[in-house]
Amino acid sequence: MTTRAHLKECIMIHTLMTFFLYCTIFNYVMVTVWFVWFYFNHDALYRLHTRWFKLTVEQFDMLMYGGMGLYKLGVLLFNVAPLLALWLME
């Protein structure tokens, strides 16, 4: 591999690392906002969602926490794992 091609590859890896880092930060901020919103506005959110769905408070809480957990799992799988792989390649 020529020096120029190697330099382009390094720049591309660095750009991808920066992209995945910003995606990770953004997504963890989103899940934190979701949690804070859920924590401080639980009753209002529950009333809003029970207009459309018949849910008990326990079901609603389970869906919210399950959704947050699934979201965090997606962030780990689609943001953090590629970031770590690129970091190991560098």
Side-chain angles (χ1 to χ4, degrees):
M1 183 180 292
T2 65
T3 305
R4 189 173 195 177
H6 180 69
L7 181 61
K8 281 185 179 183
E9 182 179 320
C10 288
I11 291 172
M12 189 172 89
I13 289 174
H14 180 71
T15 303
L16 283 172
M17 285 177 64
T18 304
F19 170 75
F20 283 118
L21 178 64
Y22 285 138
C23 285
T24 301
I25 292 168
F26 174 78
N27 282 301
Y28 273 112
V29 166
M30 291 301 294
V31 81
T32 303
V33 167
W34 183 3
F35 175 77
V36 169
W37 190 31
F38 172 72
Y39 183 78
F40 288 109
N41 297 311
H42 181 272
D43 293 337
L45 284 174
Y46 176 71
R47 284 192 310 271
L48 176 71
H49 285 87
T50 53
R51 289 181 186 175
W52 301 309
F53 308 105
K54 291 184 180 187
L55 296 169
T56 64
V57 174
E58 293 81 15
Q59 289 172 328
F60 176 71
D61 291 346
M62 183 181 66
L63 286 170
M64 284 291 158
Y65 283 117
M68 286 181 221
L70 189 61
Y71 191 90
K72 288 193 289 186
L73 186 63
V75 171
L76 286 172
L77 183 63
F78 296 115
N79 289 268
V80 177
L83 177 62
L84 289 176
L86 289 169
W87 180 68
L88 290 173
M89 284 176 51
E90 190 177 49

